Amino acid sequence: MTNRSGEDRKRSLAFLAGLDAERLALLVMVMKGYWPLARRYLTHAGEIDLIMQRGKTIVAVEVKARATLEAAERTFTHAKLKRIGAALAAFRAERRLDDRYVFRCDAVFIAPRRWPRHVVNAGPLE
């Protein structure tokens, strides 16, 4: 028999830690001059943690928090990038954003006691 309440507590703590990481990433991006457009944007294709704008650039930001920055970077996969691209396409269509805008995917990697690492254009959108 499994300890259901222990699993639920662990899941809740992980969820809260993820929210904290997203708040920190949002702060980093705002400090760099980006303006938030959406948080936890959910579509049938997937979720985008943050959608930010600076000028004519719209950025889907994937936030990954792990014990080390290197471990966080390893979780950013091609499959995840593909889902982000599909979700960003839905956001673009919903907002009727045309070709005057540049779209890209960045990543912010977070680890305890380390400054977050913002990777600009973390991968090609498909």
Side-chain angles (χ1 to χ4, degrees):
M1 184 186 238
T2 62
N3 182 352
R4 191 72 172 140
S5 63
E7 290 173 13
D8 290 344
R9 179 171 164 69
K10 193 175 186 180
R11 191 173 296 116
S12 294
L13 290 174
F15 176 77
L16 292 174
L19 290 179
D20 286 344
E22 287 174 10
R23 279 192 286 273
L24 180 56
L26 178 64
L27 178 62
V28 167
M29 297 298 289
V30 168
M31 289 172 56
K32 290 183 167 200
Y34 293 87
W35 184 258
L37 298 179
R39 277 185 79 181
R40 310 193 110 222
Y41 181 77
L42 187 60
T43 72
H44 67 283
E47 181 182 61
I48 301 174
D49 295 328
L50 302 170
I51 300 177
M52 309 292 290
Q53 180 176 1
R54 185 166 67 182
K56 292 289 186 176
T57 302
I58 308 290
V59 183
V61 181
E62 178 67 9
V63 180
K64 292 293 186 182
R66 296 293 185 273
T68 66
L69 292 174
E70 294 75 20
E73 287 177 359
R74 285 192 298 270
T75 66
F76 190 72
T77 64
H78 179 72
K80 183 65 176 173
L81 189 58
K82 191 173 182 177
R83 286 191 296 275
I84 292 168
L88 187 57
F91 179 83
R92 182 179 179 176
E94 177 184 287
R95 300 280 178 110
R96 295 186 172 101
L97 299 171
D98 60 26
D99 290 337
R100 290 177 290 175
Y101 292 90
V102 174
F103 297 89
R104 72 169 197 244
C105 180
D106 290 7
V108 176
F109 302 114
I110 297 176
R113 296 174 297 286
R114 297 285 309 269
W115 184 253
R117 183 178 297 158
H118 173 210
V119 178
V120 176
N121 203 17
L125 292 172
E126 295 181 9

